[in-house]
Amino acid sequence: MDLNQKIPAYFISKKNIVRLILFTAGFALLFINLYSPFDVRNWFGLQLQSQELLFYSSLIILTGVLVAVVSRVLLYHYNKKEIRTKLWAFLLIIGLEIIFMSLFYTIYESAFIKNDHRDFFEVFAVSLQNTALVLLLPYAVLWLYFSWQDKNHKIKELTESEESTVIDGKKMVPFKDEKGTMRISLILDDILYLKGTDNYVSIFYKGKNTISKFLLRNTIKNLEHQIKHLPIARCHRSYMVNFEKIKLIRRDKGIHVLEMDTDPPIEVPLSKTYMNEIFRLFGES
């Protein structure tokens, strides 16, 4: 891990800051009421019942939330100036949050617990340990969640784009299944034709020294709409063809076929319904 790298943008997102504070507060409330750290059940020299513990623990959690709010608001405004905080500084901020919260909890314990003969530093050490546990667990969980969510968002942006992309000067065509999830992205120049069968489409394309096939769960009708901006046109009820790969159109035994520019030549049927459109495109190409 490079500590000098800048923190990801999702750490300073308003939405994620609110999530972080609420999730951490909720986790701390459960942790204190179930685990009872800081000897909280003996506050005021009383054996606190569950409802009383919930009330008093909520008070100290509000103090912790205040520390987190101040810390994250300062972090947010600092990074608004396009001066992204480095990872080592971010980890230092988390450490300071733990220290300040521990001090508050130590003061609570020292002030409210009767017959506690431990000195301030001993109380602080225990408070530091428990506070670190209360904060680091939800922080780690949310760190992983935010990272996962960010990656999914970026992937979704790429896969949901209706337009083809260009990589290394080559136009790429994404093919999506019936649920809208991209399953394969191919170089336009390598695509030969598509053949539909019921709810599946076979995509034929040039591989290494051979013709490869990819089976996609979708219909030819859906794909026709998705890639209508590309030079891949419907030529038959069950076929679409990259007309830039058409070598010639010929009539054979009363039917028209498209001969692809491959070795050996591949033939794709051309029906009367789509003949005029293919002739027009073939003439323009």
Side-chain angles (χ1 to χ4, degrees):
M1 181 183 294
D2 184 7
L3 295 179
N4 287 316
Q5 67 179 342
K6 295 180 179 179
I7 60 173
Y10 52 75
F11 278 131
I12 53 174
S13 160
K14 281 185 178 180
K15 183 177 180 180
N16 286 342
I17 288 175
V18 173
R19 285 176 172 179
L20 177 76
I21 293 172
L22 292 179
F23 181 76
T24 304
F27 177 85
L29 193 61
L30 288 174
F31 178 80
I32 290 176
N33 282 269
L34 295 177
Y35 181 61
S36 299
F38 318 119
D39 201 19
V40 290
R41 289 190 181 274
N42 291 318
W43 282 6
F44 307 106
L46 303 172
Q47 281 292 324
L48 297 179
Q49 300 302 313
S50 296
Q51 291 182 344
E52 294 173 313
L53 177 60
L54 179 63
F55 174 74
Y56 289 116
S57 61
S58 298
L59 291 180
I60 67 168
I61 288 171
L62 284 176
T63 305
V65 167
L66 180 61
V67 172
V69 168
V70 172
S71 172
R72 299 303 160 137
V73 167
L74 292 175
L75 183 67
Y76 172 77
H77 285 288
Y78 176 78
N79 284 272
K80 277 183 67 176
K81 301 176 182 178
E82 299 183 357
I83 308 174
R84 189 71 61 79
T85 302
K86 292 186 177 180
L87 183 57
W88 67 264
F90 181 69
L91 295 176
L92 178 62
I93 290 171
I94 293 177
L96 291 174
E97 289 176 356
I98 293 173
I99 291 172
F100 277 105
M101 289 184 191
S102 300
L103 285 173
F104 280 118
Y105 298 154
T106 301
I107 293 171
Y108 274 123
E109 187 168 341
S110 299
F112 297 136
I113 295 180
K114 303 293 184 180
N115 302 319
D116 190 348
H117 303 293
R118 295 178 297 173
D119 61 31
F120 182 87
F121 293 102
E122 185 179 355
V123 174
F124 176 73
V126 175
S127 179
L128 188 66
Q129 178 182 346
N130 288 315
T131 304
L133 181 61
V134 169
L135 284 187
L136 293 182
L137 280 177
Y139 277 17
V141 170
L142 287 178
W143 190 329
L144 293 173
Y145 173 73
F146 292 156
S147 176
W148 172 81
Q149 187 182 53
D150 183 64
K151 289 178 181 178
N152 273 6
H153 179 69
K154 290 177 180 178
I155 292 173
K156 188 176 180 181
E157 284 184 338
L158 290 174
T159 58
E160 286 188 347
S161 175
E162 292 293 334
E163 299 296 328
S164 54
T165 57
V166 177
I167 300 177
D168 295 332
K170 298 179 180 180
K171 184 176 288 187
M172 304 294 295
V173 181
F175 286 95
K176 307 173 186 177
D177 63 17
E178 58 185 1
K179 295 181 180 180
T181 302
M182 188 185 74
R183 293 300 181 185
I184 191 172
S185 185
L186 298 170
I187 298 174
L188 176 61
D189 193 52
D190 288 343
I191 300 171
L192 297 173
Y193 68 99
L194 285 64
K195 181 181 179 180
T197 306
D198 296 327
N199 294 322
Y200 289 90
V201 175
S202 297
I203 304 170
F204 293 86
Y205 61 97
K206 291 190 294 183
K208 292 184 178 179
N209 304 319
T210 185
I211 304 300
S212 300
K213 180 177 77 171
F214 182 84
L215 188 63
L216 180 72
R217 185 174 178 85
N218 207 332
T219 63
I220 200 80
K221 184 177 181 180
N222 287 342
L223 286 183
E224 182 181 16
H225 175 73
Q226 289 179 17
I227 58 178
K228 61 184 178 181
H229 60 287
L230 297 172
I232 301 176
R234 193 82 172 265
C235 62
H236 185 274
R237 182 173 60 88
S238 301
Y239 287 86
M240 292 182 71
V241 64
N242 183 351
F243 64 79
E244 292 183 349
K245 295 299 177 181
I246 299 175
K247 185 177 182 179
L248 57 88
I249 303 176
R250 60 184 173 82
R251 186 179 177 85
D252 185 15
K253 297 180 181 181
I255 61 173
H256 286 83
V257 295
L258 305 174
E259 188 172 302
M260 310 298 296
D261 187 15
T262 58
D263 186 21
I266 295 174
E267 295 181 353
V268 178
L270 172 61
S271 66
K272 292 181 180 180
T273 304
Y274 303 98
M275 189 177 298
N276 290 337
E277 179 64 14
I278 292 296
F279 276 137
R280 184 185 69 81
L281 295 173
F282 187 70
E284 291 178 356
S285 62

